[in-house]
């Protein structure tokens, strides 16, 4: 009784100690899959240098899953024990109909948490609706506080719009908001302490992410721009006292508490601190591929199945169960080589 009370209150806080999943989806390495990330569009109003090429070609509508198909796959996963779904993209808030999808998915019995990752640009007008549609926790990407650097990193973004979006999200009453910052040496590596200060002042969490070699990008060299999490922690030491914590938000972040604040600082370190042993996630790409690992190409074409057998829930569920044997032990990211993964992050969803 006490245990379930503790578990529930940590879940409400968005933080739970790493635990064994009650999901029926288990891979060859005994890892339970209880977390699905869904990219609902490959389109975006930004062109972040680490995520997209400057000149991107987007998928034609016929190759993108419909919102009904996405909702159907989410239902199958939740009925198989998935407890957490993150809606992402591309920029999820530029897809028409996103709010009704959120409502549908958020209402699935058994789903404990619906979350979203957004670049924040549409939040000034949409934050309240996203909250009302059932999203409890929100991740907002913010790599820099400097308007010129923001423009350089996003190519097309307007920092004022995103800052207004963060304010709108704070006013909308999300249980927790976390900032995501991809740190690139030579772009924004000197800003980690200012970003943590920004988060502390607003009672937000923040995660720093090492760039992953997904898709070909132009304009920077991933090897030269690599800035490991340990260096960021050293940079923060002068201004903040960080204490490691075993708390987890169910994703790959390793967290530290900031003394004197509620803020948690997370590090997503695919290169320097491998997190694959505790991986509990799979992803649905915008083109309907079920991807078993962000850093491998093992996948199942769910779009073909959905279109050949529309509405066939038992067949879909069996395909999801069968897919678990394809989940590899660990990712294959290597910043010292040209990308081995040719898909951009926007296809897959971060
Ligand atoms: N457009 C939304 C956003 O930017 O928050 C959601 C999609 S974006 C692909 C999700 C997350 O992936 C963002 O926090 C972004 O910074 C991160 N991301 C994109 N490309 C990345 C890469 N190559 N390596 C590491 N993180 C990346
Ligand atoms: Fe768009 Fe997000 Fe990719 Fe930036 S990281 S280009 S905001 S999808």
């Amino acid at each position: 009784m006490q245990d379930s009370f503790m578990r529930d209150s940590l879940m409400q806080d968005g933080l739970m100690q790493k635990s064994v999943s009650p999901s029926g989806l288990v891979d060859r390495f005994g890892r339970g899959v209880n977390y699905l990330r869904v990219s609902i569009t490959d389109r975006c109003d930004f062109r972040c240098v680490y995520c997209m090429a400057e000149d991107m070609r987007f998928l034609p509508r016929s190759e993108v899953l419909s919102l009904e198909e996405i909702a159907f796959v989410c239902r199958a996963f939740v009925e198989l024990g998935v407890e957490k779904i993150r809606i992402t993209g591309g920029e999820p808030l530029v897809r028409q109909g996103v709010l009704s999808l959120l409502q549908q998915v958020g209402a699935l019995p058994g789903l404990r948490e619906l979350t979203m990752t957004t670049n924040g640009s549409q939040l000034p007008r949409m934050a309240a609706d996203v909250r009302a549609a059932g999203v409890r926790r929100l991740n907002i990407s913010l790599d820099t506080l400097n308007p010129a650097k923001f423009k350089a990193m996003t190519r097309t973004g307007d920092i004022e719009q995103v800052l207004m979006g963060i304010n709108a999200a704070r006013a909308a009453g999300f249980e927790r908001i976390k900032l995501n910052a991809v740190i690139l040496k030579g772009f924004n590596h000197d800003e980690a302490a200012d970003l943590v200060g920004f988060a502390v002042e607003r009672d937000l969490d923040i995660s720093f992410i090492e760039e992953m070699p997904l898709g070909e990008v132009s304009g920077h060299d991933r090897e030269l721009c690599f800035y490991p999490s340990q260096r960021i922690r050293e940079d923060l030491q002068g201004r903040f006292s960080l204490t490691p914590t075993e708390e987890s938000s169910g994703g790959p972040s390793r967290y530290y508490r900031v003394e004197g604040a509620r803020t948690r600082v997370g590090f997503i370190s695919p290169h320097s601190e491998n997190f694959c042993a505790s991986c509990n996630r799979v992803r649905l790409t915008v083109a309907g591929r079920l991807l078993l690992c962000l850093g491998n190409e093992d996948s199942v074409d769910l779009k073909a199945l959905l279109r050949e057998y529309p509405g066939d829930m038992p067949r879909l569920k069996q395909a999801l169960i069968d897919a678990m044997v394809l989940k590899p032990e660990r990712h294959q990211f290597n910043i010292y080589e040209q990308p081995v993964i040719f898909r951009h992050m926007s296809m897959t969803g971060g």
Side-chain angles (χ1 to χ4, degrees), residues 72-316:
F72 194 66
V73 175
C74 289
R75 198 182 111 207
F77 267 110
V78 173
E79 289 181 5
L80 287 170
V82 160
E83 298 176 316
K84 176 171 172 176
I85 294 182
R86 175 175 299 283
I87 302 295
T88 176
E91 175 44 44
L93 293 179
V94 303
R95 175 131 190 205
Q96 273 199 358
V98 58
L99 292 173
S100 75
L101 175 73
L102 293 174
Q103 280 160 1
Q104 267 188 73
V105 175
L108 288 171
L111 185 73
R112 274 182 173 270
E113 193 173 39
L114 176 64
T115 61
M116 173 180 272
T117 304
T118 170
N119 67 21
S121 69
Q122 309 303 311
L123 287 175
R125 63 182 180 90
M126 294 181 80
D129 289 338
V130 171
R131 178 71 189 96
V135 174
R136 284 164 39 188
R137 290 196 301 135
L138 200 60
N139 286 0
I140 307 175
S141 298
L142 180 69
D143 301 324
T144 168
L145 298 168
N146 176 315
K149 283 191 197 171
F150 190 87
K151 186 60 93 186
M153 289 187 78
T154 61
R155 294 196 182 101
T156 56
D158 172 4
I159 194 169
E160 280 311 315
Q161 191 75 7
V162 173
L163 295 177
M164 281 190 308
I166 292 172
N167 282 341
R170 291 171 66 214
F174 288 94
E175 286 171 17
R176 208 64 199 144
I177 299 171
K178 179 163 79 85
L179 304 176
N180 276 346
V182 176
I183 297 294
L184 302 185
K185 190 171 168 189
F187 281 83
N188 62 344
H189 72 275
D190 51 351
E191 274 202 75
D194 289 344
L195 285 163
V196 172
F198 178 91
V200 167
E201 275 167 28
R202 289 159 185 77
D203 192 25
L204 312 175
D205 294 329
I206 181 163
S207 279
F208 293 105
I209 308 174
E210 290 176 355
E211 182 183 10
M212 302 171 203
L214 291 169
E216 282 199 64
V217 294
S218 53
H220 74 288
D221 179 320
R222 281 177 162 145
E223 184 183 344
L224 296 179
C225 291
F226 175 53
Y227 199 72
S229 297
Q230 180 55 27
R231 290 286 303 276
I232 300 175
R233 284 193 286 273
E234 287 160 16
D235 296 344
L236 295 178
Q237 267 166 14
R239 269 176 63 183
F240 303 97
S241 173
L242 299 182
T243 312
T245 159
E246 282 302 302
E247 290 163 312
S248 159
S249 56
S253 265
R254 295 212 165 98
Y255 282 101
Y256 290 69
R257 287 219 167 240
V258 178
E259 196 178 294
R262 281 220 313 151
T263 295
R264 287 166 290 239
V265 181
F267 295 90
I268 301 176
S269 323
H271 307 295
S272 63
E273 295 156 15
N274 185 279
F275 44 64
C276 299
S278 60
C279 184
N280 58 348
R281 298 170 287 286
V282 293
R283 294 158 199 268
L284 181 63
T285 74
V286 68
R289 272 170 77 197
L290 175 66
L291 203 67
L292 284 302
C293 168
L294 187 57
N296 279 284
E297 290 298 359
D298 308 81
S299 68
V300 174
D301 184 357
L302 294 183
K303 183 175 69 198
L305 185 146
L306 289 165
R307 294 189 179 173
E308 193 174 352
Y309 304 101
D312 190 340
M313 183 56 88
R315 190 181 290 268
L316 174 60

